[in-house]
Amino acid sequence: MASIVDRIFGVKCVANTGSTARDFCMLERNILSHVKLALLLSVLSASLLLQTRLVPSEGEDIGASHYGVPLASLQFAGALLSIAAGIWEYLSGCKDLLRMSAFLRSPKPHLAIMTVVIAVVFVTCIILLDLE
């Protein structure tokens, strides 16, 4: 029965030597952090599209109608990039874990993608601070 499950799901057993379990938990924690960031950026995107605020102010127009759709598009693209970077990091880390090679090196594509996401967040902050 176990061989059928292994063939269907591609499950491989990895010996728990050294810090293997801790390293795998680190990979899971990182992908969950990427998903959390993507959800936050998606909520921010939706709030920009719907022109909602946490603390509504009466009669105040912050000019989000000009920047609402472009900023929301940037935020949503950042959310998708965050998920893509998290999946890439998780899969490459799992592959390295199965090969029993060191995977705590600095992955350059992940760093480049997350730099773009950080730039999107900073641009949004600057534009929204400029509107007030």
Side-chain angles (χ1 to χ4, degrees):
M1 182 69 178
S3 63
I4 294 172
V5 172
D6 290 346
R7 277 189 251 153
I8 292 173
F9 295 110
V11 176
K12 298 194 181 199
C13 290
V14 176
N16 189 12
T17 57
S19 63
T20 305
R22 184 186 66 212
D23 294 343
F24 186 73
C25 288
M26 181 261 318
L27 289 174
E28 287 182 339
R29 185 184 66 236
N30 285 351
I31 195 167
L32 290 175
S33 295
H34 282 82
V35 169
K36 185 169 63 170
L37 175 63
L39 288 173
L40 178 69
L41 291 173
S42 297
V43 167
L44 220 95
S45 171
S47 71
L48 285 170
L49 280 176
L50 298 173
Q51 297 179 4
T52 57
R53 301 182 85 180
L54 288 176
V55 180
S57 47
E58 299 174 16
E60 182 182 343
D61 183 26
I62 62 166
S65 59
H66 296 125
Y67 298 108
V69 174
L71 278 180
S73 301
L74 272 176
Q75 294 291 327
F76 195 71
L80 293 178
L81 282 174
S82 174
I83 289 176
I87 289 173
W88 183 85
E89 182 187 32
Y90 180 78
L91 291 178
S92 66
C94 283
K95 184 174 63 173
D96 290 341
L97 185 69
L98 290 174
R99 286 187 291 158
M100 299 298 266
S101 64
F103 60 91
L104 291 177
R105 61 190 184 277
S106 173
K108 290 175 182 31
H110 176 263
L111 180 64
I113 293 172
M114 292 311 292
T115 302
V116 171
V117 173
I118 290 169
V120 166
V121 170
F122 280 138
V123 165
T124 303
C125 289
I126 290 170
I127 290 175
L128 290 179
L129 286 174
D130 185 44
L131 289 176
E132 289 189 7

